[in-house]
């Protein structure tokens, strides 16, 4: 426990002595009331010169320290969260934004905008970022701070998100797809993007993070509420027991003073776990935040510890998401360079990540010179060139080059196409061509290994020809198989959800090491899988990053959205991974299990602790009247007064000693429930019984040196 953090938390611990705050913890509220009663009794004894005044004052001081130490554990946990909130608040900077105002209507039909936006036909105005509203369109270029949360609707840029994620490596944000979401306060490093604002000022993602971190103390989980009910019940039982001791002791001519009765009550009620419960819950969320995961509630953290089924979206979660060109396979009799040049030519106007990867691979194979000879993009995409954009109907894209164009060696219009194998095959057959057997086998082989085959063809009059195949690989992120093996050891079943065909899905599932997969899945299919698992009595977690994942993320017991994903996904989930690392769910599950184990372990220790204290206090109270009870004084404590005071001091000190464990958490190990229970009882059950015997005896040796108490 850092001494600096402890000192910084002390003022907050004193402020928490307010009864209106203490009443939410019945155990510590009881200790507070008892401390007040003992304070009044001590003052009265001191005023009348009672011989027990010194004893009462010392007990009272330690009772107040017990309350303070209980508040200190919660204050330290909150202080760590508030420090993180301050660092997040520092990242929230008010900036000026270039906001589009209206579409221009210039005379003569020619656009006339400002600041490089003339081509778009829009005017702009410079406004404070705090004035932006949902739906506003803003423009950001290299060096600009993004003024608010939104989705990229035009362009592509490299963005520095270190203020949010702590990761110095820039990320790519682009229009369309599942990597369009941007966060206010991050910086554009290159290029130019147009953003549609999705959150008003004060309701941004960063604002939510800050409020959740600062408001962690107000979020109690069902398990924590149930434990508080149990602790309240035990407190009521022991209050009644302490009250009944008074007439019993009076009958035996051994009436304990009010201070003794309060000390007895405080030592017997579960003060240890009562003081540490808030710190355990807050530190669970704190550990998530340290791993760059934002949880919307403590309930989500706790539920993560109990999940049994994990659904993962393939694209962008298990795989990188953007398929990449990795090879060109030419048909028999076709020059490979012709295939490469034609593939690049068909992709010059293709701004998708796949299209850009084809161009990049073609340039790389040309020796990295930058442009393939004879196919300069600026010279090729002249106004007379017809660009054929991809459509869901044709499933192809490409160019139509007019006769006489430098890249067209034929006397007719040259049609260059690339696209899905079945679409290009149909296109070629309609123009008198065919798909060679070797390429048919290549298409099946690529599909069977989880890749995506694209055929490239040309048609310049006469008969169309298939030149070859482009192999697009959906690359599985490194380390996935090992991480899924860890989940399996935890008893968690993994299911991959994808819209790919069954052959591709099976190959990716085998490579990633998931337990099962659902291919050709729609958003409705994802919901159906989640509902089926839940109806079978399982708790389900879902990770995803796309708008199509939002319904499933909302329906899952734990929904984890990638920060790189869309705003819809992040709104639907109850956790957001700022690093966009799907394997982070293993850490989330571990933290959830650690939270549950820590709470259970410290509850076991606290109850066992209280059992041991009986042997210190009860014999000390009644041994003089009932000598037979002396047999229970196995600690050999010096006197009734030293026994009671030693127990009170130990009761306070043990809270401080356990605060680091409550904040750090008990280490989770992937073992069976029976082994976990045995380990818990052996370490924390037996340890909870032994520790008071040792601690109270050592304290008694010191306390007995005080003349008025040791005799």
């Amino acid at each position: 426990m850092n001494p600096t953090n402890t000192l910084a938390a002390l003022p907050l611990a004193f402020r928490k002595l307010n009864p209106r705050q203490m009443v939410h913890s019945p155990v510590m509220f009881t200790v507070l009331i008892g401390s007040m009663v003992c304070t009044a009794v001590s003052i009265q004894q001191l005023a009348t010169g009672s011989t027990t005044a010194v004893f009462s004052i010392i007990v009272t001081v330690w009772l107040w320290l017990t309350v303070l130490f209980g508040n200190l554990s919660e204050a330290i946990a909150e202080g760590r969260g508030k420090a993180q909130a301050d660092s997040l608040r520092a990242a929230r900077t008010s900036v000026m934004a270039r906001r589009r105002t209206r579409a221009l209507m210039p005379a003569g039909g020619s656009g006339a905008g400002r600041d490089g936006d003339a081509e778009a036909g829009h005017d702009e105005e410079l406004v404070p970022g705090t004035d932006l509203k949902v739906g506003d369109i803003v423009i950001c270029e290299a060096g600009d701070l993004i003024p608010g949360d939104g989705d990229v609707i035009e362009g592509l840029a490299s963005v520095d998100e270190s203020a949010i994620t702590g990761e110095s490596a820039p990320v790519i944000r682009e229009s369309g797809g599942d990597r369009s979401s941007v966060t206010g306060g991050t910086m554009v490093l290159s290029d130019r993007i147009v953003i549609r604002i999705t959150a008003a000022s004060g309701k941004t993602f960063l604002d939510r993070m800050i409020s959740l971190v600062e408001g962690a103390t107000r979020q109690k989980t069902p398990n924590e509420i149930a434990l508080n009910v149990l602790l309240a019940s035990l407190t009521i039982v022991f209050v009644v027991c302490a009250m009944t001791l008074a007439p019993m002791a009076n009958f035996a001519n051994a009436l304990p003073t009010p201070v003794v009765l309060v000390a007895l009550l405080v030592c017997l009620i579960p003060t240890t776990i009562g003081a540490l419960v808030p710190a355990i819950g807050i530190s669970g969320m704190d550990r998530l935040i340290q791993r760059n995961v934002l949880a919307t509630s403590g309930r989500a953290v706790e539920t993560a510890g109990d999940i049994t089924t994990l659904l993962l979206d393939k694209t962008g979660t298990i795989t990188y998401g953007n398929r990449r060109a990795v090879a060109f396979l030419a048909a028999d009799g076709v020059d490979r360079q012709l295939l490469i040049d034609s593939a690049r030519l068909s992709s010059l106007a293709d701004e998708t990540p796949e299209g850009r990867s084809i161009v990049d691979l073609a340039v790389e194979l040309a020796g990295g010179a930058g442009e393939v000879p004879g196919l300069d993009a600026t010279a090729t995409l002249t106004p007379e060139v017809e660009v054929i954009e991809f459509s869901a109907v044709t499933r192809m894209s490409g160019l139509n080059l007019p006769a006489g164009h430098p890249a067209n060696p034929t006397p007719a219009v040259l049609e260059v196409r690339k696209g899905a194998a079945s679409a290009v095959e149909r296109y070629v057959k309609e123009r008198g061509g065919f798909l060679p057997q070797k390429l048919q086998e290549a298409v099946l082989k690529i599909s069977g290994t989880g890749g995506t085959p694209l055929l490239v063809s040309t048609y310049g009059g006469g008969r169309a020809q298939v030149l070859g195949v482009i192999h697009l690989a959906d690359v599985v992120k490194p380390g996935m198989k090992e991480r899924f093996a860890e989940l399996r050891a935890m008893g968690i079943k993994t299911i991959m959800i994808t819209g790919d065909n069954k052959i591709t899905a099976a190959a990716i599932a085998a490579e990633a090491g998931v337990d099962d997969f659902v291919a050709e899945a729609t958003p409705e299919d994802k919901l159906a899988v989640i509902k089926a698992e839940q109806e079978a009595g399982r708790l389900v977690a879902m990770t995803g990053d796309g708008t199509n994942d939002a319904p499933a993320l909302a329906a899952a017991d734990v929904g984890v959205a990638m920060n790189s994903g869309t705003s819809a996904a992040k709104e639907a989930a109850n956790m957001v991974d700022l690093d966009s690392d799907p394997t982070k769910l293993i850490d989330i599950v571990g933290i959830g299990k650690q939270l549950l184990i820590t709470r259970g372990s410290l509850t076991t220790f606290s109850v066992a602790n209280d059992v041991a204290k009986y042997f210190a206090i009860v014999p000390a109270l009644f041994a003089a009247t009932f000598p037979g009870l002396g047999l229970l004084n196995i600690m050999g404590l010096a006197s009734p007064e030293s026994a009671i005071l030693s127990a009170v001091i130990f009761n306070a000190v043990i809270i401080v000693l356990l605060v680091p464990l409550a904040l750090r958490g008990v280490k989770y190990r992937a073992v069976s429930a029976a082994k976990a229970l045995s380990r818990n009882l052996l370490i924390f059950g037996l340890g909870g019984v032994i520790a008071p015997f040792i601690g109270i005896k050592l304290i008694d040796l010191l306390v007995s040196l005080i003349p008025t108490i040791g005799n």
Side-chain angles (χ1 to χ4, degrees), residues 69-302:
F69 291 161
N71 289 345
L72 186 63
S73 67
E74 185 176 4
I76 292 173
E78 285 185 29
R80 291 165 62 175
K82 290 183 184 300
Q84 291 172 330
D86 290 339
S87 65
L88 291 172
R89 191 176 287 106
R92 186 177 58 185
T93 308
S94 179
V95 299
M96 300 301 291
R98 292 168 55 192
R99 180 172 64 184
R100 281 183 179 174
T101 55
R102 58 184 175 83
L104 296 178
M105 299 295 292
S110 61
R114 290 201 309 262
D115 297 325
D117 206 39
E119 306 89 336
H122 291 274
D123 201 357
E124 299 174 12
E125 62 179 348
L126 204 61
V127 299
T130 52
D131 290 349
L132 293 175
K133 299 178 177 61
V134 175
D136 282 351
I137 306 297
V138 298
I139 299 159
C140 291
E141 296 180 335
D144 291 345
L145 282 174
I146 295 174
D149 293 0
D151 290 324
V152 179
I153 59 174
E154 294 178 25
L156 172 148
S158 175
V159 179
D160 177 6
E161 295 188 341
S162 58
I164 306 298
T165 66
E167 175 58 54
S168 58
V171 295
I172 299 298
R173 293 290 176 259
E174 58 188 334
S175 61
D178 297 335
R179 297 183 182 275
S180 61
S181 177
V182 292
T183 305
T186 57
M187 178 177 286
V188 178
L189 298 179
S190 68
D191 303 295
R192 174 181 180 276
I193 50 177
V194 179
I195 302 165
R196 178 182 289 112
I197 298 298
T198 58
S201 178
K203 298 181 180 180
T204 65
F205 185 60
L206 204 56
D207 291 319
R208 286 174 57 203
M209 289 178 64
I210 293 170
S211 63
L212 287 169
V213 171
E214 291 185 326
T217 56
R218 295 184 294 275
Q219 301 172 17
K220 291 186 177 181
T221 66
N223 184 280
E224 186 176 344
I225 293 172
L227 181 58
N228 280 331
V229 171
L230 173 63
L231 296 181
S233 301
L234 290 175
T235 300
I236 293 172
V237 169
F238 282 115
V239 166
V240 173
C241 290
M243 292 174 64
T244 58
L245 280 177
M248 291 173 58
N250 184 42
F251 178 77
N253 296 318
L255 178 65
T257 66
V259 172
V260 172
L261 287 175
V262 171
L264 173 66
L265 173 64
V266 170
C267 289
L268 297 186
I269 62 177
T271 50
T272 305
I273 188 62
L276 296 176
V277 161
I280 295 170
I282 296 170
S283 62
M285 296 186 69
D286 177 62
R287 286 193 291 275
L288 270 186
I289 294 171
Q290 289 176 3
R291 288 166 174 79
N292 275 351
V293 178
L294 170 66
T296 59
S297 69
R299 178 193 293 265
V301 183
E302 191 172 280

Side-chain angles (χ1 to χ4, degrees), residues 317-380:
T317 304
I318 293 177
T319 65
Y320 280 107
N322 294 334
R323 296 171 297 172
R324 304 171 182 179
V326 295
F328 297 107
L329 306 175
D332 289 336
V334 175
D335 181 59
R336 186 166 179 266
Q337 189 59 51
L338 175 61
L339 167 63
I340 295 173
D341 292 350
S342 299
R344 182 180 182 279
L345 185 63
S346 67
S347 303
L348 288 177
D350 186 350
E351 290 300 320
T352 64
E354 292 84 359
R356 289 193 294 271
S357 76
I358 293 171
V359 174
D360 291 341
L361 182 60
V363 171
E364 180 183 337
L365 295 176
E371 295 292 342
V372 177
L375 286 179
D376 179 73
T378 305
T380 303

Side-chain angles (χ1 to χ4, degrees), residues 609 611-613 615-616 632 634-635 637 650 688-698:
N609 228 345
V611 172
K613 292 171 194 171
F615 292 92
L632 297 179
I634 56 180
M635 296 185 192
L637 303 180
F650 176 83
V689 172
I690 294 175
F693 281 89
I694 298 174
I696 292 175
K697 179 59 179 179
L698 292 175

